[in-house]
């Protein structure tokens, strides 16, 4: 069983994944981890004319991290206590992080943002473009400093079809290994809701293909944690966002027009996949005459050709692994989140090996991530 019960908060966990019984030759890769920016990089690196419009980062009198424009802190409220519970030194300090990776037996990681997700829909589009450009360049610096172990996921200019392709190419030139799109892209500069399947964004998808850069989606856009039961209910909703994204890729014809595209769905586990594919197959068979465009293949075929999903520990998902495809899933520690498997890596790894055997376990624990993200094993 891969259910993790009665987990200690991340801040208090001891990492001991080095003792896991890995299949021979396995390189352990976390396909989804997180980094917290605590330096005031956006103000410091922005052009002079934009500095006053950029988010500032500071520590308040209680020692809490704050982020906001004009010092209006976005991290106040329920999110403040949640962030404190997994604020390990390695969440913000690269040397401490490398030590945690070593203790947990992890060779490399794919790293997503933390609070930066709060700015995915900010209305100041010029500021937002510079925010993500600075972030991408900062990630490239961290990757070099880590010796090729920390691989941050870049964020392109997804809301502007005139700039999207060039921003993908910039991410590739920086040496980053993937680009993240939000599930909800918001509005274009003209105020029109962005739909990833429209023709005007084909250049973005083509650029991702040409650059051999995987496109990723990640949970966690603007979670609503307020009110009675808000933390539990908000988190429950957060872990189920990807049906529309997968539907756009399949039924919007994106995969037909871009046959070498690869897409990764991060942190929602893998148990959502069979139900989504079953329903997609039902829609294809029962509503096919109304579909526009007419897709060339059955929905499940697109999944098996183009898509991947990450998980931390997913008992139900592994009950259905033959349907999902053992070559379509990638393990992650989700470091340092409380639902992550870091600190329990030994148990999870051993369970994966028992479930699928050493050949597929080797793929799930690192081999597939190395291939998808074009990673080079550090010396």
């Amino acid at each position: 069983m891969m259910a993790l019960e009665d987990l200690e908060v991340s801040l208090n966990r001891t990492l001991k994944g080095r003792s896991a019984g890995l299949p021979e030759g396995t390189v352990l890769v976390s396909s989804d981890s997180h980094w917290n920016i605590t330096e005031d990089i956006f103000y410091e690196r922005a052009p002079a004319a934009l500095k006053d419009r950029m988010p500032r980062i500071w520590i308040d009198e209680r020692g809490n991290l704050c982020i906001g424009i004009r010092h209006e802190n976005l991290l106040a409220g329920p999110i403040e206590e949640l962030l404190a519970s997994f604020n390990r030194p390695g969440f913000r300090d690269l040397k401490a992080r490398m030590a945690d990776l070593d203790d947990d037996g992890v060779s490399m990681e794919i790293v997503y943002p933390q609070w930066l997700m709060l700015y995915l829909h900010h209305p100041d589009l010029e500021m937002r473009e510079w925010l993500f450009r600075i972030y991408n360049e900062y990630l490239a610096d961290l990757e070099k400093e880590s010796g090729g172990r920390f691989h941050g996921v870049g964020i392109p200019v997804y809301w502007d079809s005139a700039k999207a392709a060039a921003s993908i190419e910039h991410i590739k030139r920086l040496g980053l290994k993937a680009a993240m799109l939000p599930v909800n892209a918001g509005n274009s500069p003209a105020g029109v809701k962005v739909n990833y399947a429209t023709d005007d964004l084909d250049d973005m998808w083509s650029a991702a293909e040409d650059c051999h850069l995987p496109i990723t989606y990640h949970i966690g856009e603007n979670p609503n944690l307020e009110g009675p039961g808000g933390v539990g209910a908000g988190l429950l909703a957060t872990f189920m966002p990807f049906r529309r994204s997968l539907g756009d890729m399949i039924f919007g014809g994106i995969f037909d027009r871009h046959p070498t595209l690869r897409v990764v769905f991060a942190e929602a586990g893998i148990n959502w996949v069979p139900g989504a594919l079953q329903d997609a197959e039902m829609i294809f068979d029962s509503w096919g005459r109304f579909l526009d465009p007419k897709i060339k293949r059955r929905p499940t075929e697109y999944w098996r050709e183009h898509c991947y999903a990450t998980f931390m520990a997913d008992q139900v998902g592994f009950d259905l692994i033959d349907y999902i495809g053992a070559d379509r899933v990638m393990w992650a520690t989700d470091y340092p989140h409380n639902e992550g498997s870091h600190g329990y890596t030994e148990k999870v790894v051993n369970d994966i090996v028992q479930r699928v055997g050493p050949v597929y376990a080797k793929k799930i624990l690192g081999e597939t991530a190395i291939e998808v993200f074009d990673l080079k094993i550090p010396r």
Side-chain angles (χ1 to χ4, degrees):
M1 293 177 63
M2 279 184 290
L4 296 178
E5 300 174 349
D6 300 321
L7 301 186
E8 180 61 89
V9 295
S10 173
L11 193 60
N12 298 334
R13 293 183 194 176
T14 299
L15 308 187
K16 52 183 179 179
R18 285 185 296 182
S19 59
L22 292 172
E24 184 177 355
T26 299
V27 178
L28 206 57
V29 179
S30 172
S31 56
D32 170 34
S33 300
H34 294 269
W35 177 256
N36 204 21
I37 307 167
T38 57
E39 306 160 79
D40 199 16
I41 62 168
F42 302 110
Y43 180 82
E44 293 169 355
R45 299 190 183 192
L50 280 176
K51 285 185 180 293
D52 290 342
R53 292 154 58 188
M54 302 301 292
R56 300 297 304 270
I57 302 169
W58 72 98
I59 304 297
D60 69 12
E61 64 279 1
R62 297 175 298 156
N64 293 324
L65 178 69
C66 302
I67 167 71
I69 298 171
R70 292 180 291 276
H71 282 76
E72 296 177 5
N73 183 21
L74 285 181
L75 301 184
I79 196 171
E80 183 176 77
E81 185 177 1
L82 297 184
L83 283 170
S85 72
F86 55 83
N87 189 24
R88 300 178 66 93
F91 192 24
R92 60 193 183 275
D93 178 84
L94 195 61
K95 184 177 179 180
R97 189 183 191 90
M98 295 300 105
D100 273 357
L101 291 185
D102 289 340
D103 288 342
D104 219 24
V106 176
S107 176
M108 295 176 284
E109 56 179 352
I110 302 299
V111 184
Y112 290 88
Q114 188 60 48
W115 56 258
L116 202 65
M117 305 280 257
L118 299 174
Y119 287 94
L120 289 170
H121 307 116
H122 196 277
D124 186 340
L125 300 186
E126 185 183 21
M127 182 281 287
R128 195 202 299 177
E129 181 177 347
W130 272 98
L131 179 78
F132 296 150
R133 183 185 182 93
I134 291 168
Y135 176 68
N136 296 340
E137 293 170 352
Y138 167 77
L139 290 177
D141 293 342
L142 288 175
E143 184 170 330
K144 293 174 184 174
E145 188 179 345
S146 76
R149 300 183 68 186
F150 176 110
H151 296 283
V153 177
I155 305 176
V157 186
Y158 50 83
W159 61 90
D160 189 338
S161 60
K163 298 179 177 180
S167 69
I168 291 284
E169 292 164 356
H170 183 243
I171 288 169
K172 179 68 174 182
R173 285 196 302 274
L174 289 171
L176 305 185
K177 300 300 185 180
M180 183 188 80
L181 300 179
V183 172
N184 172 19
N187 292 336
S188 71
V192 177
K193 183 172 176 56
V194 173
N195 185 318
Y196 291 131
T198 54
D199 292 343
D200 62 318
L201 280 171
D202 267 348
D203 285 348
M204 179 184 74
W205 300 115
S206 294
E209 284 187 290
D210 294 343
C211 291
H212 304 287
L213 199 70
I215 295 296
T216 71
Y217 293 92
H218 195 283
I219 70 168
E221 296 171 28
N222 298 325
N224 179 8
L225 307 177
E226 303 292 338
V231 171
L235 290 174
L236 184 61
T238 292
F239 282 98
M240 261 306 194
F242 293 142
R243 280 194 167 212
R244 177 64 197 229
S245 301
L246 180 61
D248 284 341
M249 305 300 297
I250 293 173
F251 293 115
I254 295 172
F255 286 142
D256 280 337
R257 298 192 298 275
H258 303 281
T260 63
L261 191 65
R262 288 180 165 184
V263 176
V264 178
F265 298 95
E267 203 177 329
I270 59 176
N271 62 75
W272 66 273
V273 175
L277 292 179
Q278 176 177 261
D279 287 348
E281 291 284 322
M282 174 271 292
I283 292 164
F284 180 82
D285 287 324
S286 59
W287 294 89
R289 72 183 65 182
F290 302 103
L291 298 180
D292 182 22
K294 303 296 183 186
I295 59 176
K296 298 175 181 179
R297 304 164 72 182
R298 298 194 67 86
T300 303
E301 294 180 58
Y302 294 107
W303 171 266
R304 292 172 181 160
E305 184 72 22
H306 296 273
C307 299
Y308 303 84
T310 78
F311 72 98
M312 293 81 78
D314 195 330
Q315 177 185 351
V316 173
F318 268 76
D319 287 343
L320 297 168
I321 194 64
D322 289 341
Y323 187 81
I324 300 166
D327 61 336
R328 299 286 110 187
V329 303
M330 297 182 283
W331 169 80
T333 63
D334 193 29
Y335 179 98
H337 289 174
N338 288 334
E339 72 274 13
S341 61
H342 57 287
Y344 301 89
T345 296
E346 179 182 19
K347 170 179 169 51
V348 173
V349 166
N350 292 340
D351 285 345
I352 291 171
V353 175
Q354 184 177 2
R355 279 291 197 115
V356 299
V359 174
Y360 279 119
K362 188 176 177 181
K363 291 179 179 293
I364 291 167
L365 293 169
E367 206 169 69
T368 298
I370 290 170
E371 194 270 327
V372 169
F373 295 107
D374 190 28
L375 304 179
K376 303 296 186 290
I377 300 173
R379 295 182 178 179

